Amino acid sequence: MGTCAAGLGAALLLAVAPVGAASASASTSEPAASDGPSDGASDGASDDGFALRGATWALKDTGKDARFRGLAAVSRTTAWVAGSTGAVLRTTDGGRSWRDVSPPGAAAEGLELRDIEAFDARRAVALSIGEGEASRILRTEDGGATWTETFRNPDPRAFYDCLTFFDSRHGLAMSDPVDGRFRILATDDGGRAWRVLPDTGMPQALPGEAGFAASGQCLVGAGPRDVWLATGGGPAARVLHSADRGLTWNVADSTLPAGDPARGVFALAFRDRTTGLAVGGDYRTGQASPHAAARSGDAGRTWGQAATPPPAYRSGVAWYPYGRSTALAVGPTGTDVTTDAGRTWRALDGGSFDTVDCAADGACWAAGEKGRVARLERR
């Protein structure tokens, strides 16, 4: 990570390591819950409250015990997961079977693959996190049969947390602050080549501020140019927004809890370029997270707390494609659902997951510790 966050990243890697696993988990920081943004977001109280009625997570046996914090839901049949010890798995039959498509040597080097973005069953881009050369980007075009390393971080001050793609060619990756500003990588060829963007349009980071590599959702996009970056670990938990693919940024206080290295915004999801959700909390086991969610209706310029937030820390969030006001949030203590665009949340499932993603065909997948992967299904 950057100079101000290096200690935070290392502490988190140790603090959230799953029992029996060789390595660990996310970055740092906690979000707050809110009443709804004052920007006039107009989602009805529950225009699709029936959307997930009777749904529950159906576990899919992966045969692995890695902690999967990277997840890409392609469809009901196809999904990719990436995690600790360099593990990457892919299914093309709805989770009935999984193929181990881990990059050669990734396990031996102990790579922490915390994010993966997939365009289909054959093309995917994965991010390994860590200080200096531990931060890498790898790409496959043949379903994981072979991988090409397309970026290896040469700067010992940088620590990359998340990546996102606007389409199959244009994408960004973000590092914790270097020289006082978050660092952004960009690609225009689907992840084959990357370049560092100038930081002149990036606001100054706060003392101790960094990103959390908890679910691959600290950097998210919507549409062809808009992207948001989530922060924590500093005196305020903030959300940065760029409308020009990372060249210039505006920043807003998310209203989520802050002021501690373990608190901040852990994950973001934007339904479109205006309507977004932020989740987080204090990732430490046993610590209260009374304000674990917030929402925005003006592209992240302002945020409001959820009136009824999730009851504990949440590390991942995703909009449900078949309902304009429905979304899922996951964490180690369970899954919550909102049917009113983040104003209120209710418990859906008690199982532990770190990340969640929904495909365009309506299929939602979740992944987490001890090889846990599940697809949302009706009882």
Side-chain angles (χ1 to χ4, degrees):
M1 312 178 112
T3 303
C4 68
L8 177 62
L12 183 65
L13 284 171
L14 294 173
V16 292
V19 175
S23 50
S25 56
S27 273
T28 356
S29 213
E30 149 184 24
S34 142
D35 209 6
S38 57
D39 52 67
S42 58
D43 295 292
S46 182
D47 64 4
D48 51 359
F50 62 92
L52 297 181
R53 189 170 297 160
T56 188
W57 291 116
L59 289 173
K60 308 296 181 180
D61 184 14
T62 64
K64 303 291 183 179
D65 63 0
R67 189 163 197 165
F68 293 119
R69 291 183 177 274
L71 169 65
V74 176
S75 67
R76 180 172 176 78
T77 58
T78 301
W80 301 67
V81 291
S84 58
T85 64
V88 178
L89 305 182
R90 183 191 64 144
T91 182
T92 56
D93 58 9
R96 288 190 296 275
S97 64
W98 293 85
R99 176 170 294 181
D100 187 335
V101 294
S102 304
E109 292 192 72
L111 296 186
E112 284 285 332
L113 298 173
R114 296 293 185 85
D115 199 355
I116 188 164
E117 303 290 328
F119 310 116
D120 49 41
R122 297 185 62 79
R123 298 176 297 158
V125 178
L127 172 72
S128 168
I129 70 161
E131 296 176 348
E133 292 191 355
S135 284
R136 306 176 192 180
I137 298 176
L138 303 100
R139 187 179 190 277
T140 182
E141 297 182 358
D142 54 13
T146 61
W147 292 85
T148 301
E149 182 181 295
T150 59
F151 172 78
R152 182 178 294 206
N153 173 37
D155 191 335
R157 302 169 299 169
F159 186 117
Y160 285 85
D161 298 293
C162 293
L163 59 84
T164 191
F165 276 82
F166 303 98
D167 52 45
S168 63
R169 292 185 59 81
H170 303 93
L172 302 176
M174 58 82 67
S175 163
D176 291 333
V178 176
D179 293 331
R181 289 182 169 86
F182 285 92
R183 176 171 287 180
I184 304 296
L185 286 181
T187 180
D188 297 323
D189 57 8
R192 295 178 181 86
W194 297 83
R195 68 187 186 282
V196 176
L197 293 183
D199 65 3
T200 52
M202 176 68 71
Q204 281 284 127
L206 301 175
E209 191 174 28
F212 290 105
S215 58
Q217 296 174 327
C218 58
L219 185 72
V220 301
R225 304 188 69 80
D226 287 272
V227 61
W228 295 263
L229 186 160
T231 83
R238 305 195 297 173
V239 177
L240 284 66
H241 171 230
S242 171
D244 55 11
R245 291 185 182 164
L247 293 175
T248 60
W249 298 79
N250 296 311
V251 63
D253 190 328
S254 70
T255 78
L256 276 65
D260 186 280
R263 299 175 182 167
V265 183
F266 280 76
L268 297 168
F270 272 78
R271 187 187 67 198
D272 48 42
R273 70 177 311 270
T274 59
T275 309
L277 301 170
V279 302
D282 192 318
Y283 73 78
R284 294 170 296 190
T285 302
Q287 294 296 310
S289 295
H291 302 295
R295 59 186 297 272
S296 176
D298 59 4
R301 285 191 295 273
T302 61
W303 293 84
Q305 295 181 358
T308 305
Y313 158 69
R314 296 293 179 253
S315 55
V317 63
W319 289 96
Y320 181 62
Y322 288 171
R324 285 185 57 78
S325 298
T326 300
L328 298 160
V330 301
T333 62
T335 299
D336 303 285
V337 61
T338 178
T339 56
D340 55 14
R343 291 179 174 85
T344 61
W345 295 82
R346 61 175 174 80
L348 180 73
D349 183 273
S352 171
F353 293 106
D354 293 313
T355 187
V356 60
D357 192 26
C358 296
D361 66 358
C364 294
W365 295 78
E369 62 181 348
K370 299 178 182 177
R372 283 170 57 89
V373 180
R375 191 180 65 189
L376 200 65
E377 298 177 3
R378 294 189 181 278
R379 294 186 183 92

